[in-house]
Amino acid sequence: MTRIKYTSTDVALMARMMRAEAVGEGKQGMLYVGNVIVNRGVADCLDFRDVRTIRQVIFQVQGGNYSFEAVQKGNVFYQRARSVEKRLAKKNLEFWRQHPAKYSLWYFNPDGPCPPTWYGQPFAGQYKNHCYYEPAAGTCASVY
């Protein structure tokens, strides 16, 4: 059972983003980023009402900037997807979800400790350098 419809192009695109955002955090860290990507595609709420495909999630613009910094900064994101990341992306697309990113729609890498909220959304947990945030209770049933 897949969580969101996808093509082989989507798998490669998602794999590139997972690598660009979290290669330094290993396979587990990349899987967490993949959770957020898929969650945004299925979340029919908040900032994600108009994104339904992996491509729309990756290239979403909010506040004049791409939602994912790697799209703008590019270096790793614009390299060809490797088979290891493609396997991880497919795993996310098919079934894999795990805390702290299981229901998360946001993550970032702060200069210091993870704040208890980020843009008003509660802290779900941390993995290595990334802090994960899920929607406040009652605001996004579709992600759960």
Side-chain angles (χ1 to χ4, degrees):
M1 174 177 164
T2 60
R3 296 194 56 225
I4 188 171
K5 287 170 57 173
Y6 66 91
T7 65
S8 59
T9 302
D10 293 327
V11 172
L13 182 62
M14 189 168 148
R16 289 175 21 218
M17 181 56 69
M18 291 164 67
R19 178 178 175 202
E21 292 281 320
V23 70
E25 297 186 350
K27 291 178 182 176
Q28 191 81 9
M30 288 188 281
L31 282 166
Y32 290 141
V33 166
N35 273 173
V36 170
I37 292 168
V38 175
N39 288 347
R40 287 181 178 189
V42 299
D44 189 19
C45 61
L46 306 167
D47 297 330
F48 310 105
R49 291 187 194 282
D50 298 324
V51 292
R52 288 291 152 264
T53 67
I54 297 301
R55 181 168 191 75
Q56 289 172 340
V57 170
I58 300 289
F59 291 107
Q60 183 183 26
V61 174
Q62 294 178 302
N65 293 306
Y66 287 106
S67 295
F68 292 101
E69 197 174 82
V71 176
Q72 285 165 189
K73 304 232 167 131
N75 53 5
V76 175
F77 175 66
Y78 289 101
Q79 293 176 10
R80 183 179 219 159
R82 300 184 303 190
S83 59
V84 65
E85 288 94 8
K86 285 182 186 178
R87 280 192 301 276
L88 295 173
K90 198 160 175 164
K91 195 172 180 175
N92 279 126
L93 289 159
E94 295 286 339
F95 66 90
W96 196 93
R97 294 174 85 186
Q98 197 171 88
H99 179 79
K102 187 172 186 174
Y103 306 117
S104 294
L105 292 173
W106 306 272
Y107 64 87
F108 82 113
N109 182 350
D111 292 332
C114 296
T117 61
W118 196 48
Y119 292 106
Q121 306 302 325
F123 176 62
Q126 181 173 357
Y127 183 75
K128 295 192 178 181
N129 295 325
H130 282 102
C131 305
Y132 290 86
Y133 296 82
E134 56 190 46
T139 62
C140 193
S142 54
V143 82
Y144 296 96

